[in-house]
Amino acid sequence: MWMVTCTAPVNIAVIKYWGKRDEELILPINSSLSVTLHQDQLKSTTTVAASQDFKDDRIWLNGKEENINHPRLQTCLREIRRLARKRRTSGDGNSNTLSLHHKVHICSVNNFPTAAGLASSAAGYACLVYALAKLHGLEGELSEIARQGSGSACRSMYGGFVQWMMGTKEDGSDSIAQQIEPETHWPELRVLILVVSAEQKPIGSTAGMQTSVKTSPLLKYRTEIVPKRMKEMIDAITRQDFETFGQLTMKDSNQFHATCLDTFPPIIYLNDISKHIINLVHRYNSHFGETRVVYTFDAGPNAVIYIREQHVDQFVEVVKHYFPPEENGEQ
Ligand code: DP6
């Protein structure tokens, strides 16, 4: 029996991915950029085991057996086995003696709510691909395979600040993730997650972005402006310019949600509490005359806040003042 356990982090996009040009290969209509979170609070943990006694590939997610025939899971398994076969034939790398005919059992758990807009699929697929690769003794560029599990998963293959370059090739071989700066680059940067609702989102990202691609004129416009925004964002991160980083992040989140509203029928991920948080952040920043707090929202109502360490305590007090814990189901 061969067995490997890995963990993978969540990433939160500051330039959003929304829309595919190829559904099968998961190729996006624009590049995107994210910050990878530390694994001390949010992570996926995956154990993969292979044995000649296993009759079938099987998977358990958060303790419950799921259908292994899910097309994206099948793609990841197939692509990893293909890569292992290729490396073995070419004699490259240090791929181990595990037979490619051995079936695998996969066990994956998230320590945060699945499908609540907290990038669970990103961490999950990144972890699965990495664990399978380790099991086969594979190293090197794996984000191309993780991307085929879930687009945003390719960015969770690296720490720090990561871009997913959309690429231009039809086979998707240049649609990969790349680290821009390591996690040590901006040590005072912190992320707060304001959990507005832990319920499953009404429309998943995959289906939502399909409808947006079909119906939203604003999404077409977005493909024109994202390249410039990507350059500005990379530059702001390199220079640790929080003001520009923050403005671009909030504008991109707002434009993504505007695109959702421009989709027909409209997709509404933000709720009243999310909107209160947006207003609160803007009031807070204008009080200090600078961008101290930054919000971004994915496909759900939960706010992700980027903030520097020196402002965390004060902002948390402000949040507690406007959203008192005792009225929030907490003591
Ligand atoms: C709003 O990566 O979940 O979080 O590729 O269909 O699996 P699929 O979609 P997914 O979409 C993430 C969308 C987003 C923005 C982002 O993370 O860039």
Side-chain angles (χ1 to χ4, degrees), residues 13 17 20 26 72 121 150-152 155 205-206 209 256 298:
Y17 146 56
K20 299 181 185 68
I26 312 201
R72 290 177 172 198
S121 68
S150 179
S152 55
R155 299 186 312 237
S205 316
T206 308
M209 65 177 85
F256 156 52
D298 279 339

Side-chain angles (χ1 to χ4, degrees), residues 125-143:
Y125 274 105
C127 206
L128 171 73
V129 167
Y130 196 77
L132 284 172
K134 275 255 172 280
L135 189 77
H136 287 94
L138 299 170
E139 272 163 17
E141 160 49 42
L142 295 165
S143 76

Side-chain angles (χ1 to χ4, degrees), residues 250 272-273 275-295 314-315 318-319 321-323:
M250 292 189 283
D272 283 350
I273 300 176
K275 290 174 197 163
H276 278 154
I277 295 169
I278 293 177
N279 288 330
L280 179 65
V281 168
H282 285 292
R283 285 212 320 270
Y284 184 89
N285 288 338
S286 65
H287 175 80
F288 291 103
E290 61 176 7
T291 302
R292 286 194 179 182
V293 179
V294 170
Y295 57 78
Q314 191 191 42
F315 183 68
V318 171
V319 171
H321 176 79
Y322 286 98
F323 302 97

Side-chain angles (χ1 to χ4, degrees), residues 29-30 217-229:
I29 57 170
N30 60 260
L218 182 56
L219 188 61
K220 293 200 175 65
Y221 171 65
R222 211 175 131 65
T223 60
E224 289 170 32
I225 68 161
V226 169
K228 180 163 171 271
R229 221 172 240 186

